Amino acid sequence: MAYSHTAQNPGNEQRRVIITNEHGEKLVGRLHETGSKEIVVLCHGAESNKDDNIMVNLAAALEKEGISAFRFDFSGNGESEGSFRFNDLYREADDIHSVIRHFSGENHIVCAILGHSKLIQLVNLRGVVVLLYASKYRDIRIVVNVSGRYDLTRGLTELFGENYMEKIKKDGYINIKRGDVEFRVTEEDLMDFLRIDMHEACLKIDKDCRVLTVHGTDDEINPLTDALEFAKFIPNHRLRIIEGADHRYTSHQVELASTVVNFVKSALQQDELTQCSSNISTDPESSSPQVRIRLISKASSTASKMADSHSAQIPVIEQQRVIIPNKHREKLVGLLHETESKEIVVLCHGFRSSKDYRIMVSLAAALEKEGISVFRFDFSGNGESEGSFEYSSYHRGVDDLHAVIRHFSGENRAVSAILGHSKGGDVVLLYASKYRDIRIVVNVSGRCDMKRGLAERFGEDFMEKIKKDGYIDFKTGAFEFRVTEEELMDHLNMNMREPCRNIDRECRVLTVHGSADNLVPVEDASEFDEIIPNHRLQIIEGADHGYTVHQTELASAVVKFIKSGLEEDKVAPNR
């Protein structure tokens, strides 16, 4: 069957394909055939179908790049057989599995799956299906989650009513009508739905599976915070936030398509290069217990740059997985973005974060672009590194950073700058005060007053609680941890002011802070400005703690400061 937009996509064939799922239901789809062996499977949202504008536009954009695409109707939707159900997420994951098996049997490769979340009024379900699939089957290496919901329980009261649990317990079901769509939610459906744990599913996604989350800043259905949660917990994740886009990307179809196509193409090229080279190598002659894995890849495109550059314009950058033992013989895992510059900038993540946090990846890419090598790593007890997590581990982080700097010095490299975000910002300042061997330090949103915010975090009577029990159990998002009395006392006794005054006057320090930071107030940045000897302060107007929509401004400030410092050192190397 000819594609309706053949004038825009000459030579591409579109044909109707029917695939039987594991329940014997016929799934109907459209294959946009370009002759490529690879196929991208597109999954529509709830109360939608394969002919949704987003599905059609993405298929056309992939076609244009020579990549075949298959958009289909889940069972109970569109032309496909079966009945619509409220909680059909894992059933739909099985539908995807049937589609992938079908094309594998035809000697094709489903290289990527993409899902968009569309609303059942106030509850978004479908964008997460591709993530559930990736966690269950683990046979796909590229996943794109467009506007998916992390907290699946949000909006249930608005959808079902205040006393919906009592209603469904009494009657065994609730009937819902939204526009022309009517459906029944049974107690079994609801209970199955409430048992879905997106946090656990995200953690189970294979580390080799590249995941992109795209989200609009003006999404009226799923808040942007959901995208940030995915970024925290999915192992190999990229986040792209599209400024001004709503849930349907009404006026941002071009940006969405560009972002998706660039990500898929880049990932395919990475796989191709990986297959064509000897990527995994060890250094048997080295006495250092390190492992290097060459991930010959496109320079990591930042969340803010992913849609701005075609992959052909991005130079090939070599990323090496490096393992460094700290003083406690725990293995610290990091990625070296190698540009062959002698100078290296070391990036330090924040509290309960990792080297793959979007700020770390974004800054690494921005520095790479300027020809500066970068090393981002996980502190002990975080991410991939060994060790146990501790609430108050600032000085342990300083020791980890010292181990990293000594490692690269032993390889005849110069760590020219250190940068930390949030808790990492305090770590780099403490390091500069203790070791005094780094000339450029960047503190992004660090905290000066360690006592500030504890009552909001632990409760007004937290001192009484911890004195009584010896600990406080704390939960933030999906992460739970225990703070002991010893850890809390260490935290309260830490004085950032005295170490900051001891930083060498020849060390250039930049503090960057957002004016809308909701975790660490901008007053902390002003305090650093008053007490650090050779200090520059830059406030980014409107930026929150994670620089959610201010990645470009943050990267620009950091790169400009580091480049300026390196140039000054070249002019006066013996100063």
Side-chain angles (χ1 to χ4, degrees):
M1 178 178 179
Y3 179 40
S4 58
H5 291 79
T6 49
Q8 298 174 359
N9 299 278
N12 291 335
E13 179 185 340
Q14 187 184 141
R15 61 186 173 91
R16 190 168 189 260
V17 177
I18 299 176
I19 299 168
T20 303
N21 69 9
E22 64 179 44
H23 303 287
E25 299 160 336
K26 293 179 180 178
L27 308 177
V28 180
R30 298 278 176 182
L31 175 61
H32 297 241
E33 180 65 80
T34 67
S36 68
K37 187 175 183 180
E38 297 84 7
I39 295 175
V40 176
V41 173
L42 306 179
C43 305
H44 64 78
E47 295 181 16
S48 185
N49 59 50
K50 65 183 178 300
D51 298 320
D52 178 74
N53 283 340
I54 290 179
M55 299 293 102
V56 174
N57 289 339
L58 288 174
L62 289 161
E63 274 186 325
K64 191 175 180 180
E65 296 297 325
I67 302 170
S68 297
F70 181 68
R71 51 187 174 91
F72 76 102
D73 295 326
F74 284 115
S75 56
N77 293 263
E79 295 183 87
S80 292
E81 294 178 347
S83 57
F84 175 82
R85 295 176 59 192
F86 169 71
N87 177 38
D88 51 4
L89 299 183
Y90 279 109
R91 186 183 178 99
E92 289 179 349
D94 293 338
D95 283 352
I96 296 173
H97 189 53
S98 297
V99 168
I100 291 172
R101 289 182 61 188
H102 169 84
F103 285 112
S104 297
E106 291 198 343
N107 202 29
H108 280 79
I109 296 173
V110 174
C111 60
I113 55 177
L114 175 149
H116 173 246
S117 177
K118 197 172 181 229
L119 68 158
I120 294 184
Q121 196 64 15
L122 294 168
V123 180
N124 262 338
L125 305 179
R126 293 282 178 70
V128 300
V129 172
V130 292
L131 298 176
L132 292 175
Y133 179 91
S135 73
K136 180 178 179 180
Y137 289 102
R138 301 167 68 90
D139 58 357
I140 291 292
R141 297 181 64 85
I142 307 169
V143 176
V144 181
N145 159 38
V146 180
S147 306
R149 168 157 289 186
Y150 182 83
D151 182 358
L152 299 184
T153 63
R154 189 187 297 122
L156 291 181
T157 300
E158 291 87 340
L159 180 63
F160 297 134
E162 290 290 340
N163 57 342
Y164 70 90
M165 285 303 293
E166 290 82 353
K167 287 180 183 176
I168 209 160
K169 287 288 185 184
K170 176 185 174 184
D171 301 328
Y173 64 87
I174 295 177
N175 289 327
I176 300 294
K177 183 175 182 180
R178 291 291 179 263
D180 296 330
V181 178
E182 294 186 48
F183 58 94
R184 172 167 290 187
V185 179
T186 68
E187 182 179 0
E188 181 183 3
D189 288 337
L190 182 60
M191 293 303 103
D192 286 346
F193 177 75
L194 292 174
R195 280 191 285 268
I196 295 174
D197 186 342
M198 283 308 302
H199 172 68
E200 182 182 357
C202 288
L203 294 177
K204 288 182 178 178
I205 295 174
D206 194 286
K207 291 181 184 294
D208 290 329
C209 178
R210 304 175 186 87
V211 180
L212 168 68
T213 291
V214 188
H215 215 101
T217 60
D218 292 355
D219 192 320
E220 72 284 13
I221 303 301
N222 279 350
L224 188 57
T225 51
D226 283 48
L228 304 183
E229 291 300 306
F230 287 126
K232 286 180 187 176
F233 300 115
I234 295 176
N236 188 354
H237 187 269
R238 295 290 178 270
L239 174 62
R240 173 69 165 100
I241 297 169
I242 298 183
E243 182 69 29
D246 59 17
H247 189 69
R248 298 284 299 128
Y249 297 84
T250 308
S251 304
H252 295 80
Q253 292 285 310
V254 174
E255 293 97 317
L256 174 62
S258 174
T259 299
V260 169
V261 169
N262 285 343
F263 181 78
V264 172
K265 283 184 64 181
S266 176
L268 289 175
Q269 289 163 355
Q270 287 176 24
D271 282 345
E272 185 176 343
L273 286 168
T274 301
Q275 291 169 3
C276 293
S277 63
S278 177
N279 297 321
I280 302 179
S281 62
T282 58
D283 187 1
E285 298 178 0
S286 172
S287 60
S288 175
Q290 64 175 324
V291 179
R292 296 182 182 273
I293 301 180
R294 301 179 61 202
L295 308 171
I296 311 290
S297 64
K298 299 295 174 186
S300 297
S301 178
T302 71
S304 60
K305 298 291 184 183
M306 196 176 294
D308 298 336
S309 303
H310 294 294
S311 56
Q313 298 173 315
I314 303 174
V316 173
I317 299 296
E318 187 176 306
Q319 283 187 41
Q320 299 175 0
R321 179 178 165 91
V322 180
I323 299 177
I324 301 169
N326 66 9
K327 65 185 293 186
H328 305 291
R329 306 307 298 169
E330 297 162 335
K331 293 178 181 178
L332 307 176
V333 180
L335 283 177
L336 175 62
H337 298 240
E338 180 64 85
T339 66
E340 297 185 357
S341 67
K342 185 176 181 181
E343 297 84 7
I344 296 174
V345 177
V346 176
L347 305 184
C348 303
H349 63 78
F351 179 76
R352 282 314 302 166
S353 186
S354 74
K355 65 182 177 300
D356 297 320
Y357 184 55
R358 63 192 180 283
I359 287 178
M360 300 292 101
V361 176
S362 174
L363 290 175
L367 289 161
E368 276 184 334
K369 190 176 180 181
E370 298 297 326
I372 301 170
S373 296
V374 183
F375 183 66
R376 51 187 171 96
F377 76 102
D378 295 325
F379 285 119
S380 55
N382 293 264
E384 294 184 272
S385 292
E386 294 178 347
S388 57
F389 173 78
E390 293 178 9
Y391 172 69
S392 182
S393 55
Y394 292 80
H395 289 290
R396 193 172 81 169
V398 170
D399 292 337
D400 285 350
L401 181 54
H402 187 53
V404 167
I405 292 171
R406 287 184 61 189
H407 168 83
F408 286 111
S409 297
E411 293 203 339
N412 200 30
R413 304 292 292 272
V415 174
S416 55
I418 54 178
L419 176 150
H421 172 246
S422 193
K423 184 176 180 178
D426 292 302
V427 168
V428 296
L429 293 174
L430 291 171
Y431 180 93
S433 170
K434 181 177 181 180
Y435 289 103
R436 302 167 72 91
D437 58 357
I438 295 293
R439 298 179 66 86
I440 304 172
V441 176
V442 181
N443 157 40
V444 180
S445 306
R447 186 181 289 277
C448 186
D449 185 351
M450 290 297 165
K451 298 179 178 65
R452 187 182 289 136
L454 290 180
E456 291 84 349
R457 180 175 296 172
F458 298 130
E460 291 293 338
D461 59 341
F462 69 92
M463 285 303 296
E464 290 82 355
K465 288 180 183 177
I466 208 159
K467 287 290 184 184
K468 176 186 174 185
D469 301 326
Y471 64 88
I472 294 177
D473 287 330
F474 181 67
K475 183 175 182 179
T476 173
F479 177 67
E480 297 183 45
F481 60 93
R482 174 165 288 184
V483 180
T484 66
E485 183 178 0
E486 181 182 4
E487 288 174 333
L488 183 60
M489 292 303 104
D490 285 346
H491 183 86
L492 289 171
N493 291 330
M494 191 165 63
N495 179 3
M496 285 302 299
R497 294 173 181 84
E498 192 61 34
C500 285
R501 292 190 183 98
N502 290 333
I503 294 174
D504 194 294
R505 292 183 178 275
E506 297 298 317
C507 177
R508 307 172 189 87
V509 181
L510 168 68
T511 290
V512 187
H513 214 101
S515 66
D517 192 320
N518 56 334
L519 292 180
V520 180
V522 73
E523 287 80 11
D524 284 63
S526 299
E527 290 185 49
F528 285 129
D529 194 40
E530 290 175 7
I531 58 181
I532 296 176
N534 186 359
H535 187 268
R536 185 175 300 173
L537 174 63
Q538 181 154 349
I539 305 297
I540 298 182
E541 189 64 33
D544 60 14
H545 192 69
Y547 297 82
T548 308
V549 294
H550 293 81
Q551 294 284 306
T552 301
E553 294 95 320
L554 173 61
S556 176
V558 168
V559 170
K560 183 178 179 181
F561 182 79
I562 290 176
K563 285 184 66 180
S564 175
L566 291 175
E567 288 163 2
E568 288 179 28
D569 283 343
K570 287 179 182 178
V571 173
N574 298 316
R575 186 179 53 172

